[in-house]
Amino acid sequence: MRILALDTALPAISACVLDSGATEPLVIESLPMERGHAEALLPLIERVMAQVEGGFASLDRIAVTVGPGSFTGIRVAISAARGFGVALDIPVVGVSTLAAFAAPLVLGPKPAQERESALPGVIVSAIDARHGQVYLQACSQTGAILLAPTVLPLAEAIDKLPPGPLRITGSAAPLLAIAAWSGHRAAEVEGEIVATPILYVARLGMIADPEGAPPRPLYIKAPDVKPPSPFRFSFA
Amino acid sequence: MRVLGIESTCDETAASVVELRPNGSGAILSNEVHSQIAEHAAYGGVVPEIAARAHVEILDHLVRRALDKAGLRFSQLDGVAAAAGPGLIGGVMVGLTTGKALALAGAKPFMAINHLEAHALTARLTDGVDFPYLLLLVSGGHTQLIAVRGVGEYTRIGATVDDAIGEAFDKVAKMLNLPYPGGPQVERAAQTGDPTIFDLPRPMLRRPGADFSLSGLKTAVRLEIQRLGRTPRPNDVADLCASFQAAVVDVIGDRTRAGLRLFREQFGPPQALVVAGGVAANQAIGHALSRLSTQTGVKLVIPPPGLCTDNGAMIAWAGLERLRLGMTDAMDFAPRPRWPLDAGAQRSHNGKA
């Protein structure tokens, strides 16, 4: 199986093409980017696919990050992925950014014997949700979910995590580690802390069941709007 | 030649396939529209984040349905067109990115379409109107008179200096606590009202130029409600709506007449007066424009209501018009929340023109 993975959920745009069974991607490209994802994503994919023998026609599946992250960014990559799905008539699967951050700590990249000697602990994915909040997920070393994806104020996040030393990854990892240390909890920052690890988006996308992993946004936060009150006049 | 068109600039998600026939006419093979009115009703207006969320949820399904109903596979298309603005940026990104991805993966030409241009060219799809013609674009977001001289050749003759006409309808409906969307509700209430009960102003009437102003009229309605000194009763609501609509009808008639005069001075006789935008469905306005057409001898073209409001067929048609002239766009085309049709025109005061 050949998969194209896309991500624009965080301040970067990334794409990668991976064949099943291969350890290295055919092509991988990631550009840090605060804004302008919508303009830059398709040209980046065009460059990436130009390096793949067989081009788009050789793809069997698309994987895309569904969030949490920037609402706009999530929608840009999902729109592109779903468009590719229609044009090529192939499945599109969604991968959460929190799962993608955790994946290198669960699946590798260190060899197995090294991993066994590593600290046992709770793998925590943390992504900055702004306004003093973090998107959070925790899993065991084998990938079993201990805390389902949620959003919490930074100050409360540490208390919600299961006991044990914390191995924190993701864009809010440094923030969360500082909060842990100030509460005298063992914690270390590991893995990616800027862009979603796109290679692992491809790997998770490859093993995902298309029925169970639809490419639908995982916003976690509701839109920040309230219904207006009815129009009233004061007849003074 | 067949093009897929995608629209997602406001609160309608739409996809359509349109075919260009050898004789130059167009045929709509499918036209799928999903309106988000229900999602926004509780908020009394379109909420950008809710709109963007709804677009991404449904757009690829609509594209598949548009292809199915046209009886075509994606590979049988000759191009993909998507609205790239003006509009709500979150929604525009969804449609534009989907369109680009379809075109890139299918190795097809891509056309980034100005939503206003699509409205402007619709009369050529429905009625085969020849250039040049005068377009009156009246919707919740736009109020403009535009000289349409050719594909990509537009001159703004007049525009609102404050609120759009559809916006004024919606705001009056809100003041009277009529349900959302308010425009059609005001029109319905006006049917049983007396338009002479409230003496409302006709802003800009007989002024030089062909610009519009609606905010003073809206304020006058508010003052009349306050003057009542009580919550408006059903007959007050009907009379206020009738008086308001009558004022709008007078303003549109006068400003369009002025627009036709300016058009003749600059470009000679127009082939037609074309109306587009959601407000074109208002029958009182339609009758007034029909009278104007008879008086001036300029043919009136109002496309069917479903093609006056936002839809994918108009985007596909604009894509066809551009594709046959070789006007295609690159993959780095950026979404444009503001995108005046006439780049040379003075910037409107509030961007609502």
Side-chain angles (χ1 to χ4, degrees), chain A residues 38-43 45-46 49 56-57 71-90 215-217 219-235, chain B residues 42-44 47-50 52-53 56-61 63-64 67 74 90 93-95 97-98 100-106 171 174-177 222 225-232 331-335:
Chain A
E39 297 92 294
L41 178 63
L42 272 297
I45 296 170
E46 197 171 17
M49 291 312 295
F56 277 101
F71 294 168
T72 299
I74 291 168
R75 287 190 286 262
V76 167
I78 289 181
S79 298
R82 289 188 177 198
F84 291 145
V86 172
L88 304 170
D89 201 19
I90 56 175
R216 297 185 62 188
Y219 298 111
I220 299 186
K221 282 189 189 176
D224 188 17
V225 282
K226 285 192 189 73
S229 46
F231 205 89
R232 268 181 228 288
F233 283 101
S234 55
F235 299 109
Chain B
Y43 302 94
V47 182
E49 176 63 19
I50 291 176
R53 288 186 177 200
V56 75
E57 206 60 51
I58 197 169
L59 180 56
D60 61 333
H61 303 293
V63 170
R64 278 206 182 85
L67 288 168
F74 179 72
M93 276 188 195
V94 169
T97 306
T98 303
K100 282 186 199 170
L102 285 162
L104 180 63
K171 284 180 175 171
K174 246 184 203 179
M175 288 179 208
L176 298 168
N177 281 325
R222 187 163 55 80
I225 298 174
Q226 264 165 343
R227 204 165 291 148
L228 281 174
R230 58 168 192 270
T231 304
M331 285 292 117
D332 63 352
F333 198 99

Side-chain angles (χ1 to χ4, degrees), chain B residues 178-243:
Chain B
L178 295 171
Y180 172 84
Q185 299 285 340
V186 171
E187 184 180 6
R188 191 168 313 146
Q191 284 167 1
T192 56
D194 180 346
T196 63
I197 299 286
F198 297 96
D199 187 18
L200 298 173
R202 269 70 173 155
M204 307 293 260
L205 214 64
R206 288 183 283 281
R207 289 269 193 93
D211 284 339
F212 297 76
S213 169
L214 277 301
S215 77
L217 176 56
K218 176 194 67 191
T219 304
V221 172
R222 187 163 55 80
L223 293 175
E224 290 294 346
I225 298 174
Q226 264 165 343
R227 204 165 291 148
L228 281 174
R230 58 168 192 270
T231 304
R233 295 173 184 148
N235 64 310
D236 297 328
V237 170
D239 293 340
L240 279 163
C241 287
S243 303

